Amino acid sequence: MLTGPVGTAEDPRPPNVVLLIGDDIGYPYLGFMGDPNVVTPASDALAAGGATFSHGHVTAPYCRPSLRSLVTGLHPVQYALRLDVLMEQRKREDGFDAMPSGEQARWRVLARAAAMASFDTLPSLLRSRGYVSWQGGKWWEGGYHNGHFDQGMTRPWDMSLFGTDGFFEETMGNDGNRLVRETMEPLFDFIRGHGDQPMFIWFGPQLPHTPFDAPFTFRKYYAHKPLSESAKLYYANVSWWDDGVGRLVDFIEGQGLYEDTLFVYVGDNGWEQDATVEYKQPHSTYRNDSLFATGGLKGKGGLHDLSVRSPIIFHWHGRLPPSFNDTSLVSSLDIVPTVLDFADVEIPAELPGLSLRPLLEGGGDIRERTAIVGYSDNRRSLTNVMGEPAEGYYVRTHRWHFIFYADTGETILYDVTEDPRGAANLTQDHPELVVRFKAMIENWKRGMGMTERVAIH
């Protein structure tokens, strides 16, 4: 058991860190967030015993750029701009211009994923403190080794699938996405073999992400509730994800490591699926129906609060006092510096996030945000489940949520304290706020070095 401050002579070993990533979990659809229907006992227990920030926000409304932030601590725009420089350099080195067009396409896909190896990541930064690392679940950057993980489930891509329908599943994480859905033994084997070392674990099962195929073990919770069919399917997948979390926490406790482990929960993006709203139609498939495949229009892929908000939990039994913080605006960008702080690893100056350790430990000062500015290169579409190219920004304050699509001029403003789902657009009522928030966006863009639309996928 850890008994002294992290990094002291009395306690030379830093905590194990388990990053629990919900894949498409909307912030309202968890028991500890007040949902009366969704069954999530493991998540509820972590929240009850941990420090929970109910107004956390992620860096993108869809998975790949959001996950890049979780492993590097960089904003997706920072990552993409640096990636573009790396790609141009490697094009020259590999003779890209002389390649046939088909080979160029293959090269581009592989090179963009392999470039992750040129970035500092949590596994590489934690290695200086003796950490060993493991990856399982959603992972878009080729094999786990590209993220500097020591072990993992996602193998290098099978390029014989390139150009086929199966290649999308391959790039999502291939064998890594068997985690929880099919097995947890690779993770348990890793823990068994490294209990004497500090561990970093990337736990990102493809859940509750489609397909909505939870077994009856979880569907039974919802079979007789007055819910829409799409809600029953989605909520059952949420419970399946939660069960995986519970099994992992129980296994760690059984190995005698529970009190030595910092659990961190965050979603990768938002979702919209209220209890009685029906998205499943007779014709619906995951390919042809955007509402069924990606939830409501204000969720995944959009820029509403539902699109980018996620609770963030830090749970370290006996070390962090339980709390429920419903006022602080925190970001998934804060996770990497906070983990590094607890591991006694120097936080790189380039990281835009803040260490939340002072808030978590209940003392000290922290420069709390008054606003979060966000960006997406994508817009929801009813005809394309992957969305359409866009240049969209949002500003979230304690009271207001402002959306601005620079490519079309569309603006949306709503009061999240009175209208959390953004039913009423108040831009005409508050033109002074529109001016203020657009100025904040321009200032943020200058800070990012952003002069035009940036593709963050």
Side-chain angles (χ1 to χ4, degrees):
M1 180 189 301
L2 291 169
T3 57
V6 175
T8 67
E10 293 79 15
D11 174 30
R13 171 175 163 159
N16 303 311
V17 178
V18 178
L19 183 56
L20 306 165
I21 307 167
D23 188 0
D24 290 352
I25 298 185
Y27 82 81
Y29 313 117
L30 294 157
F32 68 88
M33 290 295 288
D35 191 286
N37 296 302
V38 179
V39 180
T40 53
S43 302
D44 298 349
L46 284 176
T52 303
F53 296 94
S54 65
H55 285 266
H57 288 78
V58 298
T59 58
Y62 61 99
C63 56
R64 189 175 189 178
S66 182
L67 295 177
R68 283 172 169 171
S69 291
L70 291 178
V71 75
T72 66
L74 298 173
H75 190 277
V77 170
Q78 290 178 295
Y79 189 98
L81 292 176
R82 187 178 304 179
L83 176 61
D84 288 345
V85 174
L86 285 169
M87 289 289 287
E88 291 304 312
Q89 176 184 334
R90 292 182 181 180
K91 282 180 179 179
R92 294 190 295 270
E93 293 172 350
D94 294 352
F96 177 85
D97 291 342
M99 296 178 187
S101 59
E103 187 178 340
Q104 285 182 342
R106 291 167 59 94
W107 180 93
R108 187 179 290 107
V109 168
L110 279 170
R112 292 184 72 84
M116 173 68 80
S118 297
F119 289 78
D120 287 330
T121 65
L122 264 176
S124 64
L125 292 166
L126 291 171
R127 189 169 291 135
S128 66
R129 285 283 279 138
Y131 277 81
V132 291
S133 58
W134 186 91
Q135 172 274 333
K138 186 73 74 70
W139 182 253
W140 290 90
E141 312 306 330
Y144 63 81
H145 60 283
N146 284 341
H148 304 289
F149 289 92
D150 296 304
Q151 296 183 33
M153 292 179 67
T154 297
R155 52 174 170 72
W157 295 338
D158 178 358
M159 293 306 291
S160 70
L161 297 172
F162 185 75
T164 71
D165 289 344
F167 191 63
F168 186 73
E169 291 289 333
E170 183 74 7
T171 58
M172 284 174 63
N174 54 62
D175 289 346
N177 290 326
R178 296 172 55 235
L179 182 64
V180 177
R181 283 181 173 272
E182 298 179 31
T183 182
M184 292 185 66
E185 282 307 309
L187 173 53
F188 292 165
D189 286 344
F190 173 79
I191 296 170
R192 289 187 192 102
H194 296 89
D196 60 342
Q197 298 171 268
M199 294 175 281
F200 171 68
I201 293 169
W202 176 276
F203 182 83
Q206 188 189 347
L207 284 167
H209 192 286
T210 58
F212 297 138
D213 57 353
F216 181 71
T217 302
F218 309 108
R219 287 186 285 112
K220 67 186 179 187
Y221 298 144
Y222 309 101
H224 305 295
K225 290 185 177 183
L227 308 172
S228 69
E229 184 63 21
S230 58
K232 290 179 180 180
L233 292 169
Y234 174 69
Y235 294 176
N237 265 28
V238 173
S239 293
W240 195 3
W241 179 87
D242 183 79
D243 182 71
V245 171
R247 291 168 61 195
L248 174 56
V249 173
D250 289 354
F251 184 83
I252 287 174
E253 194 278 336
Q255 296 292 303
L257 300 171
Y258 179 64
E259 295 180 352
D260 296 342
T261 301
L262 171 63
F263 297 93
V264 183
Y265 165 75
V266 69
D268 64 347
N269 51 250
W271 194 268
E272 183 180 20
Q273 177 57 77
D274 290 337
T276 59
V277 177
E278 183 62 82
Y279 295 130
K280 188 177 189 303
Q281 305 301 324
H283 69 278
S284 295
T285 73
Y286 302 126
R287 294 182 180 276
N288 70 11
D289 190 331
S290 180
L291 292 176
F292 180 56
T294 56
L297 291 174
K298 293 178 180 177
K300 181 178 182 178
L303 284 177
H304 283 76
D305 207 40
L306 271 172
S307 308
V308 290
R309 181 175 164 190
S310 168
I312 299 176
I313 303 171
F314 292 87
H315 180 286
W316 188 357
H317 182 72
R319 291 298 303 271
L320 297 179
S323 62
F324 192 89
N325 184 323
D326 60 0
T327 57
S328 296
L329 292 176
V330 299
S331 169
S332 59
L333 291 171
D334 301 332
I335 290 175
V336 169
T338 302
V339 167
L340 294 177
D341 198 356
F342 278 116
D344 196 26
V345 174
E346 183 177 358
I347 301 170
E350 66 183 347
L351 298 188
L354 309 170
S355 172
L356 301 175
R357 187 173 179 178
L359 279 178
L360 294 169
E361 294 183 330
D365 296 324
I366 183 171
R367 176 173 50 87
E368 290 206 51
R369 296 179 180 86
T370 58
I372 291 176
V373 180
Y375 167 77
S376 180
D377 61 349
N378 192 267
R379 176 189 285 106
R380 285 297 302 262
S381 168
L382 286 173
T383 58
N384 184 346
V385 297
M386 301 304 292
E388 302 291 350
E391 183 185 350
Y393 303 88
Y394 76 90
V395 179
R396 171 65 147 82
T397 70
H398 291 90
R399 180 180 177 185
W400 299 102
H401 193 93
F402 174 69
I403 298 169
F404 173 52
Y405 281 100
D407 54 323
T408 63
E410 179 185 8
T411 57
I412 299 171
L413 175 71
Y414 57 98
D415 183 339
V416 291
T417 65
E418 300 289 339
D419 179 19
R421 302 301 179 89
N425 185 354
L426 304 179
T427 52
Q428 298 299 317
D429 298 330
H430 297 280
E432 77 287 355
L433 291 179
V434 173
V435 172
R436 172 187 160 199
F437 292 143
K438 282 186 176 181
M440 290 175 65
I441 289 169
E442 289 303 315
N443 185 60
W444 180 85
K445 289 169 62 178
R446 285 191 293 271
M448 284 285 166
M450 185 177 177
T451 58
E452 59 185 355
R453 176 184 180 271
V454 173
I456 58 175
H457 190 289

